[in-house]
């Protein structure tokens, strides 16, 4: 079978940078799936992408589909033919459906019954024919946002202007959204020309001749190398932010790195503001000296060559100067106001129109911190710092700088802290209040920061849930899942051993509101479940652990990981544990709470189990459960729980209930699968 190469290029108006990589990968995966479904062998599918095109090159492509040879089973012969030997409607319908005639059929017995069969042979179509169906692949692509243009009903990420479809050096024509695929591609919008692609093998080099570097990884590597060369030449340190590097790679087709200078006056502005203005607002890299001090230079990437670069630098400097001038003005204006000015403004700004003011939130968090601190035995100095921070930690939301650079909330509060006479510990807590900003992100670094961050997030969850602003499905406009995940990650990272139920029940809004408590419990357990899924814990173990009677998050994770380890490493021991404690819980969950009495024990095994049940306490739960297997097995071999004697029966049920209460504090074994 011959090996071919195929190129598909979809030419569009500029794709938003944040979507380019994901769309490129999606096209690759959809083409792979299409070829697999169509039974066409291939070696690799390579994705290529620039702002104006999505492309794939398929290598090692078979020249035709794999043939299909199979036997189709029809009706039983007693149904296929009548007594006179004539074909029935059922038989003729079966044959027609298979594209066969009676002459193509044969009879074969299955378990002593004769059935009508047909041998089917479907020769594979040529790859040229199959590839004409690619419009269905393009049509199936999904987008975060999409556009309609002209009178075309089909929407797409951006309007399509051209398509290239080449199998070796021949066009495979098809049409999509009014555009017919051929071999004509387009070069750089300003530096290149239309180009006739000779074959997939020449595609990348032909586009380079027209100032288009179509390989994303190559383009990214060249940008990085140019920045590093510039930094070396100037003796700068240029931190290369991975996200920014990917973004600038996604907005250029022919990269040229350049740098410009801005007035040293702007270095008066806090470093975080300058970096944000350059990196996040203008897509510039910044430079520092060898001591790590910010320098008055910006580094950018042009979509073009080095011609007339001085004009490009001049234009970029003008835009940045305007941004930095605003930042300097806001900074100076902010510091003209006393801290009390911003705190008073918090009284008149609501956290949400259904909730109270941000000032009220600060007071609530200040009251919650000592309650949380007691649960984790935090040291007094950390508690004092956290409480002090809680009285001011939202103030920077009222500053003009955060109004302009909202991504710096918390950061600006920490920067201004020294000016307002706040301690470094309070400044750190203000800075880290929003951490982690994403799952697996950086966590607060001090106990005071951790107390403030958890109290703030918990207060948000309780009050939003109270007014029924609860996430549904994928809808989470207030990022409440992120808030709960942040609490879970902080608790787990610090191995805080406290029952979240205890903390929640001390809150005045939750104390007498069972539905609110239940909603919060379910929400936190769902976040723990997500964390356990990331650790490759089996689904039944996750469900068993989050169904326990406590909300000690660290214990839930510890129990789940130990159960998984036991299941993977000692499956027979795991099965014995699960079956033993499940048998106990099935009986004990229905029993009333009562005291055990060892004097009522009828056998040595009953005495032993009562003694075990009486001594249960803290310890490694898996060790305890493992030690319980033998006593439980011996107990059930010698004793019947539902004894005729009332006193003995109740004593045995009390034993089951005592063991059940212990087990259910860690895991509900009824959710576990012991046979696997």
């Amino acid at each position: 079978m011959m090996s071919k190469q195929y190129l598909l290029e979809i030419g569009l108006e500029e794709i938003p940078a944040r979507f380019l990589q994901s769309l490129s990968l999606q096209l690759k995966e959809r083409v792979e799936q299409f070829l697999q479904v169509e039974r066409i062998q291939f070696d690799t599918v390579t994705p290529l992408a620039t702002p104006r095109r999505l492309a794939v090159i398929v290598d090692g492509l078979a020249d035709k589909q794999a043939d299909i040879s199979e036997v189709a089973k029809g009706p039983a012969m007693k149904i296929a033919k009548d007594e006179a030997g004539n074909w029935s409607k059922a038989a003729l319908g079966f044959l027609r459906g298979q594209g066969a005639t009676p002459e193509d059929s044969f009879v074969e017995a299955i378990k002593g019954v004769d059935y009508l069969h047909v041998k089917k042979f479907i020769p594979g179509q040529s790859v040229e024919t199959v590839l004409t169906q690619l419009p269905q692949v393009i049509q199936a692509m999904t987008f975060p946002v999409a556009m309609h243009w002209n009178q075309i009903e089909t929407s797409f990420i951006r309007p399509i202007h051209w398509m290239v479809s080449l199998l070796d050096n021949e066009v495979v024509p098809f049409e999509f959204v009014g555009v017919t695929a051929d071999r004509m591609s387009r070069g750089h919008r300003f530096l290149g020309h239309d180009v006739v692609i000779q074959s997939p093998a020449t595609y990348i080099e032909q586009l380079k001749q027209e100032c288009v570097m179509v390989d994303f990884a190559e383009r990214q590597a060249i940008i990085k190398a140019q920045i590093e060369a510039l930094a070396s030449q100037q003796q700068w340190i240029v931190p290369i932010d991975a996200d920014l590097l990917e973004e600038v790679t996604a907005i250029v087709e022919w990269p040229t790195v350049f740098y410009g200078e801005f007035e040293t006056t702007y270095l008066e502005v806090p470093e975080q503001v300058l970096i944000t203005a350059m990196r996040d607002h203008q897509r510039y890299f910044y430079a520092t000296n060898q001591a790590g001090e910010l320098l008055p230079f910006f580094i950018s990437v042009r979509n073009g060559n080095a011609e007339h670069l001085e004009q490009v630098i001049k234009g970029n400097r003008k835009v940045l100067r305007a941004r930095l001038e605003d930042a300097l003005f806001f900074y100076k204006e902010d510091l003209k106001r006393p801290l009390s000015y911003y705190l008073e403004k918090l009284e008149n700004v609501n956290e949400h129109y259904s909730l109270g003011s941000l000032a009220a939130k600060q007071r609530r968090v200040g009251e919650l911190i000592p309650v949380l601190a007691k649960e984790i035995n935090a040291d007094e100095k950390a508690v004092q710092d956290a409480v002090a921070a809680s009285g001011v930690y939202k103030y920077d939301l009222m500053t003009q700088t955060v109004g302009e650079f909202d991504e710096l909330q918390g950061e600006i509060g920490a920067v201004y802290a020294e000016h307002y006479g706040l301690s470094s510990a309070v400044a750190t807590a203000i800075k880290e209040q929003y951490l982690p900003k994403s799952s697996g992100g950086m966590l607060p670094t001090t106990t005071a920061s951790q107390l403030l961050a958890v109290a703030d997030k918990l207060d948000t969850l309780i009050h939003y849930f109270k007014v029924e602003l609860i996430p549904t499905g994928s809808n989470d406009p207030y990022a409440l899942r992120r808030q709960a995940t942040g609490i879970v990650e902080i608790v787990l990272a610090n191995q805080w051993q406290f029952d979240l139920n205890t903390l929640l029940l001390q809150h005045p809004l939750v104390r007498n509101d069972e539905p609110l408590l239940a909603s919060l419990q379910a929400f936190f357990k769902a976040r723990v479940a997500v964390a356990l899924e990331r650790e490759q814990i089996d689904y039944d173990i996750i469900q068993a652990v989050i169904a326990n009677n406590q909300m000690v998050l660290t214990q839930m994770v510890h129990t789940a990981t130990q159960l998984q380890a036991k299941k993977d490493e000692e499956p027979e021991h795991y099965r014995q544990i699960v079956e033993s404690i499940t048998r106990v819980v099935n009986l004990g969950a229905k029993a009333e709470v009562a005291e055990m009495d060892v004097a009522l024990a009828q056998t040595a095994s009953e005495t032993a189990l009562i003694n075990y049940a009486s001594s249960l306490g803290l310890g490694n739960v898996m060790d305890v459960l493992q030690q319980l297997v033998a006593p439980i097995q011996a107990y059930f071999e010698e004793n019947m729980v539902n004894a005729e004697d009332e006193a003995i029966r109740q004593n045995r049920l009390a034993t089951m209930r005592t063991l059940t209460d212990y087990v259910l504090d860690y895991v509900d074994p009824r959710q576990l699968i012991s046979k696997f």
Side-chain angles (χ1 to χ4, degrees):
M1 188 173 286
M2 293 178 61
S3 177
K4 293 178 174 288
Q5 193 177 38
Y6 176 70
L7 164 68
L8 170 65
E9 181 191 57
I10 306 169
L12 315 97
E13 293 181 13
E14 275 77 358
I15 300 168
R18 63 189 182 279
F19 303 140
L20 185 63
Q21 279 284 67
S22 61
L23 292 180
S24 178
L25 180 61
Q26 183 186 159
L27 180 61
K28 169 187 181 291
E29 291 174 346
R30 288 188 181 277
V31 169
E32 288 174 338
Q33 291 166 5
F34 169 77
L35 295 173
Q36 289 162 359
V37 169
E38 293 296 333
R39 311 186 314 281
I40 297 181
Q41 291 184 349
F42 63 94
D43 291 337
T44 59
V45 176
T46 303
L48 303 164
T50 78
R52 300 177 66 211
R53 71 203 74 223
L54 297 171
V56 292
I57 292 178
V58 185
D59 286 300
L61 196 64
D63 58 4
K64 63 187 287 291
Q65 290 176 311
D67 297 333
I68 294 177
S69 181
E70 61 184 20
V71 174
K73 173 190 161 194
M77 288 306 297
K78 60 183 179 182
I79 297 173
K81 284 189 175 183
D82 60 21
E83 294 179 358
N86 299 312
W87 293 105
S88 67
K89 289 184 178 180
L92 293 173
F94 164 70
L95 293 168
R96 187 165 52 251
Q98 300 299 322
T101 65
E103 290 72 28
D104 301 320
S105 66
F106 65 95
V107 177
E108 190 171 288
I110 300 176
K111 295 182 179 180
V113 178
D114 288 340
Y115 287 89
L116 182 65
H117 289 77
V118 170
K119 264 188 181 175
K120 292 176 63 176
F121 176 77
I122 304 174
Q125 293 182 305
S126 69
V127 68
E128 293 91 333
T129 301
V130 175
L131 289 173
T132 60
Q133 301 171 41
L134 275 172
Q136 65 184 275
V137 174
I138 306 171
Q139 174 87 51
M141 290 189 70
T142 58
F143 310 100
V145 293
M147 294 177 62
H148 286 274
W149 66 98
N150 297 336
Q151 303 302 313
I152 295 168
E153 293 184 8
T154 301
S155 61
F156 214 71
I157 182 70
R158 287 294 184 269
I160 295 175
H161 290 294
W162 78 91
M163 290 188 296
V164 175
S165 174
L166 286 178
L167 183 65
D168 290 339
N169 59 358
E170 297 295 329
V171 172
V172 178
F174 56 77
E175 185 177 304
F176 181 68
V177 294
V179 178
T180 300
D182 53 25
R183 63 170 70 247
M184 184 68 72
S185 183
R186 299 186 187 180
H188 189 280
R189 187 180 288 278
F190 305 113
L191 303 176
H193 307 85
D194 290 354
V195 54
V196 176
I197 304 300
Q198 301 302 320
S199 71
T202 65
Y203 172 67
I204 292 176
E205 289 304 318
Q206 281 191 269
L207 281 182
K208 282 184 181 178
Q209 296 301 315
E210 302 302 330
C211 297
V212 173
M213 195 171 295
V214 74
D215 187 323
F216 190 98
E218 181 185 9
R219 207 160 64 246
Q220 187 173 64
I222 284 178
I223 293 171
K224 187 171 184 286
Q226 288 183 6
I227 292 173
E228 289 172 344
L230 174 63
S232 176
Q233 177 187 353
Q234 299 291 335
Q235 295 186 323
W236 296 340
I237 294 174
V238 180
I240 300 181
D241 181 273
D243 292 337
L244 179 59
L245 179 61
E246 181 174 317
E247 185 176 8
V248 297
T249 305
I251 61 176
V252 300
E253 290 192 318
W254 194 253
T256 299
V257 169
F258 64 92
Y259 77 93
E261 188 173 2
F262 59 86
E263 290 83 348
T264 56
T265 307
Y266 297 121
L267 292 177
E268 181 183 344
V269 178
E271 186 176 283
Q272 294 92 327
V273 178
L274 292 178
I275 291 173
T276 299
M278 288 189 281
R279 182 189 60 206
D280 299 345
H281 291 216
Q282 299 302 131
R283 294 168 171 160
Y284 297 158
F285 297 89
Y286 64 91
T288 71
N289 60 22
Q290 299 302 314
E293 298 167 330
L294 193 66
L295 296 172
F297 298 99
F298 63 91
I299 299 99
S300 188
V301 183
R302 181 192 190 184
N303 184 24
N305 56 25
E307 292 183 12
H308 310 297
L309 204 54
E310 66 281 356
Q311 293 300 317
V312 176
I313 295 170
K314 184 178 178 181
N316 278 269
R317 185 188 296 123
K318 183 178 180 181
V319 173
L320 181 60
R321 182 186 293 119
R323 175 70 67 178
L324 297 185
E325 190 65 35
D326 287 344
L328 181 60
F329 173 79
F330 294 143
Y331 172 63
K332 288 182 175 180
E333 287 297 304
D334 284 344
L335 295 187
K336 290 178 182 178
R337 308 282 190 179
L339 179 59
S340 59
Y341 169 81
Y342 299 115
L343 296 177
E344 288 169 10
K345 290 190 75 172
L346 290 175
E347 297 284 359
N348 301 311
V349 177
N350 282 4
E351 181 181 6
H352 182 277
Y353 70 84
S354 300
L355 301 172
S357 68
L358 287 170
K361 180 179 182 65
Q362 289 189 153
R363 289 189 286 270
R364 294 194 308 266
V365 169
E367 294 169 357
L368 184 55
I369 285 171
V371 180
L372 171 62
K374 185 178 179 181
E375 293 296 321
I376 66 167
N377 296 316
D379 67 87
E380 187 58 35
K381 177 63 168 59
V383 179
Q384 291 172 359
D385 290 336
V387 171
S390 72
V392 299
Y393 76 113
K394 294 295 183 187
Y395 84 91
D396 69 347
L397 296 178
M398 301 297 100
T399 64
Q400 293 188 64
T401 300
V402 169
E404 180 69 12
F405 301 94
D406 60 349
E407 59 268 70
L408 290 178
Q409 53 189 297
E411 295 256 3
I412 293 301
V415 169
Y416 291 179
E418 182 179 357
H419 175 78
Y420 290 122
L422 301 174
S423 71
S424 61
V426 168
T428 300
I430 293 172
K431 179 180 180 179
E432 297 182 345
Q433 63 179 287
Y434 298 105
L435 299 181
K437 293 183 178 180
S438 60
S439 179
M442 184 184 298
L443 297 174
T445 58
T446 69
T447 303
S449 299
Q450 293 153 6
L451 288 168
L452 180 64
V454 171
D456 173 73
K457 292 170 174 58
L458 190 58
D459 175 83
T460 297
L461 289 166
I462 290 172
H463 282 81
Y464 275 71
F465 270 59
K466 182 67 176 179
V467 295
E468 298 185 355
L469 293 172
I470 302 173
T472 55
S474 60
N475 187 34
D476 188 10
Y478 307 109
L480 298 184
R481 291 191 183 95
R482 189 179 70 199
Q483 303 269 27
T485 297
I487 293 174
V488 170
E489 292 186 355
I490 293 170
V491 169
L492 296 180
N494 291 284
Q495 288 294 295
W496 288 348
Q497 298 286 341
F498 71 96
D499 191 336
L500 187 56
N501 285 329
T502 304
L503 183 61
L504 290 170
L505 287 169
Q506 293 180 71
H507 196 284
L509 286 184
V510 183
R511 190 176 300 129
N512 298 312
D513 192 334
E514 289 188 9
L516 176 58
L517 175 62
S519 294
L520 289 165
Q521 288 172 329
F523 199 66
F524 275 106
K525 287 185 175 183
R527 309 282 72 75
V528 174
V530 170
L532 292 174
E533 285 173 7
R534 286 199 297 268
E535 298 300 317
Q536 306 295 309
I537 304 298
D538 289 350
Y539 177 81
D540 65 315
I541 293 177
I542 294 173
Q543 296 306 305
V545 167
I546 67 172
N548 72 11
N549 289 337
Q550 298 187 98
M551 284 279 284
V552 183
L553 305 183
T554 50
Q555 183 61 61
M556 292 165 74
V557 172
H558 181 68
T559 301
T561 53
Q562 286 212 311
L563 281 168
Q564 188 69 55
K566 180 69 73 172
K567 182 177 182 179
D568 294 341
E569 298 165 12
E570 302 178 72
E572 181 56 28
H573 287 168
Y574 177 81
R575 182 189 63 78
Q576 292 173 356
I577 291 171
V578 173
E579 292 180 356
S580 296
I581 62 176
T582 301
R583 191 171 181 184
V584 167
V585 170
N586 283 334
L587 291 163
K590 302 171 185 176
E592 296 180 2
V593 178
E595 292 293 327
M596 300 177 296
D597 185 353
V598 72
L600 292 174
Q602 302 295 296
T603 63
S605 61
E606 186 172 9
T607 300
L609 191 60
I610 291 174
N611 288 334
Y612 265 109
S614 300
S615 62
L616 291 173
L618 296 176
N620 187 312
V621 64
M622 286 308 301
D623 290 344
V624 174
L625 295 181
Q626 182 75 65
Q627 291 164 10
L628 278 171
V629 170
I632 289 173
Q633 290 177 341
Y635 178 88
F636 282 117
E637 286 175 4
E638 293 187 11
N639 306 279
M640 181 178 291
V641 172
N642 290 313
E644 292 185 8
D645 186 287
E646 176 70 15
I648 294 173
R649 182 170 69 253
Q650 291 304 322
N651 191 53
R652 289 176 178 173
L653 287 171
T655 304
M656 295 296 103
R657 179 57 186 259
T658 302
L659 289 167
T660 296
D661 289 344
Y662 173 83
V663 170
L664 292 182
D665 277 346
Y666 296 94
V667 61
D668 186 343
R670 294 167 295 189
Q671 304 282 344
L672 296 171
I673 300 170
S674 63
K675 295 179 175 61
F676 45 87

